[in-house]
Amino acid sequence: MAKQKMIIDCDTGVDDAQAIMMAVSRPEIDVIAITCVNGNVDIDNVCKNTLRVLKICDSLHIPIFKGSARSIVHYDEDASHVHGKDGLGDVPDALDVNLNCIQEEHAVNALTRLSKMHEGEVKLVALAPLTNLGLALRMDPDFSRRLKGLVIMGGNMQGKGNRSTSIASEFNFGSDPEAAYIVLHEMKCPITIVPLELCLSQVFPWEKMVECLDLNTRKSTFLQDITKASVKRQKADREPGFCSCDAQAMAVAIDSSIVLKSVDIFATVELNGNLTRGMLVADWRDKLKKSPNVTIVEKTDPNKSLSIWKSMFY
Ligand code: BDR
Ligand code: CA
């Protein structure tokens, strides 16, 4: 069977790293490019982290493209308090990656070029603020018609935000609301949204996580290092298991049969609210009478998710 071509757009922090490690380890997936964007940490750290992850996976043949260093209109915070100042847990880095390996072509140009080169074949997985995707649509309005599909980790449904400067928005949507708005309103390929609520409910049970972290392989040791601080924090917060939003979105992108419940709905992004800017707003009661533009995932199979998650360790 032909492999599924995939492009990953990310802001490599701890959970992006896990998602990338899962994707590159799957025999049915062919990651043809990784495009980086400012988000969890600044763009240079994001590129460096992505290189570190690919080096650990012996996958440096996958081209990495540097993208936008700022959101479209406004940028006010990163997530270094969650992922560490360097984005990967601030542990000593013995990998000594060569930053010259980052491609010269801008990520946005790479996205539009690759969509032409592999028309109808590429699944795009967005794990970060949607700046690169919004800009790609502005540069080439037909960009999204050439994609097979888009899976987004982003947005929330209950208005319980996870950013520090706003109470209602999820980090990726809230970091670049205009880009999220452009993507939801203008993308012409099928869009699957894996929202924050699903990720918070679908966690990696602690005993299974510890088992995998103790495998004593190159990848498990790397994951043990970079997740140390997050594990400590999440355990202190009495979370039922390790929460990795991007890993969960990647699991859905790798195998859509893990989805047990989803809804096709019209959804947009609040751009003006003082307290709600960046919040995903879904038209649950069909007040706007608009055709659905997204599929929002509401429930996934925990056993299937877990077995896909485990592939990041091998
Ligand atoms: C999202 O925000 C980032 O910190 C994570 O990498 C993930 O993509 C979760 O809201
Ligand atoms: Ca991310």
Side-chain angles (χ1 to χ4, degrees):
M1 215 171 69
K3 291 184 172 203
Q4 173 59 61
K5 291 188 174 57
M6 181 183 280
I7 299 178
I8 304 173
D9 187 78
C10 56
D11 56 342
T12 310
V14 174
D15 59 341
D16 303 76
Q18 294 178 318
I20 295 169
M21 291 174 78
M22 276 163 58
V24 301
S25 71
R26 304 290 300 188
E28 72 273 42
I29 302 293
D30 177 15
V31 180
I32 61 167
I34 299 186
T35 52
C36 296
V37 69
N38 175 73
N40 284 325
V41 285
D42 68 88
I43 186 70
D44 289 319
N45 258 309
V46 170
C47 291
K48 184 175 179 202
N49 293 346
T50 310
L51 268 174
R52 286 173 66 190
V53 171
L54 289 189
K55 189 162 183 184
I56 271 294
C57 297
D58 284 329
S59 297
L60 282 172
H61 59 278
I62 299 172
I64 302 172
F65 299 89
K66 178 171 167 175
S68 183
R70 276 275 176 270
S71 52
I72 291 176
V73 174
H74 184 61
Y75 179 72
D76 56 6
E77 74 174 71
D78 63 20
S80 53
H81 57 292
V82 175
H83 300 266
K85 283 196 192 70
D86 71 352
L88 285 186
D90 293 327
V91 286
D93 169 20
L95 283 171
D96 191 26
V97 290
N98 179 359
L99 292 171
N100 292 330
C101 293
I102 306 294
Q103 305 291 311
E104 286 199 358
E105 184 182 18
H106 193 280
V108 176
N109 293 327
L111 282 169
T112 56
R113 176 178 59 78
L114 290 166
S115 72
K116 287 180 192 152
M117 203 184 229
H118 305 284
E119 186 160 351
E121 293 178 353
V122 176
K123 204 179 249 192
L124 178 55
V125 184
L127 307 174
L130 294 166
T131 319
N132 285 342
L133 277 61
L135 293 174
L137 278 165
R138 281 290 170 271
M139 285 179 62
D140 177 355
D142 283 334
F143 153 66
S144 62
R145 286 186 206 280
R146 299 188 292 261
L147 296 174
K148 183 172 173 188
L150 167 64
V151 176
I152 299 175
M153 189 286 120
N156 54 352
M157 298 189 297
Q158 296 168 359
K160 296 181 193 163
N162 64 343
R163 306 174 78 238
S164 30
T165 53
S166 67
I167 59 165
S169 65
E170 180 279 330
F171 181 81
N172 291 339
F173 275 37
S175 295
D176 196 339
E178 279 72 19
Y181 184 96
I182 292 170
V183 167
L184 262 47
H185 284 257
E186 297 177 27
M187 275 273 171
K188 296 290 181 278
C189 65
I191 302 179
T192 303
I193 290 192
V194 180
L196 183 60
E197 289 81 358
L198 176 84
C199 301
L200 294 175
S201 69
Q202 186 72 87
V203 293
F204 203 146
W206 289 123
E207 70 282 5
K208 304 280 178 207
M209 173 90 173
V210 170
E211 226 173 75
C212 292
L213 288 173
D214 284 345
L215 282 171
N216 216 4
T217 61
R218 203 167 128 86
K219 288 185 191 174
S220 69
T221 306
F222 178 73
L223 284 164
Q224 196 167 55
D225 285 346
I226 68 167
T227 57
K228 203 170 280 166
S230 319
V231 167
K232 195 171 166 203
R233 195 189 54 254
Q234 292 192 27
K235 279 193 167 166
D237 288 347
R238 298 187 178 283
E239 299 296 347
F242 190 77
C243 173
S244 176
C245 295
D246 293 338
Q248 189 52 35
M250 183 57 79
V252 169
I254 289 171
D255 180 3
S256 59
S257 81
I258 73 170
V259 176
L260 296 179
K261 191 171 173 231
S262 64
V263 57
D264 293 342
I265 197 162
F266 175 77
T268 182
V269 181
E270 173 59 59
L271 296 181
N272 300 309
N274 272 342
L275 300 173
T276 52
R277 185 171 144 76
M279 194 176 136
L280 181 147
V281 182
D283 186 8
W284 292 104
R285 298 213 167 125
D286 197 22
K287 302 254 185 208
L288 302 173
K289 304 282 173 228
K290 286 184 183 268
S291 309
N293 57 343
V294 299
T295 299
I296 299 181
V297 179
E298 294 180 299
K299 194 168 189 290
T300 46
D301 182 319
N303 295 326
K304 282 188 175 180
S305 293
L306 181 63
S307 88
I308 301 176
W309 279 45
K310 280 184 176 169
S311 44
M312 73 176 81
F313 294 91
Y314 296 97

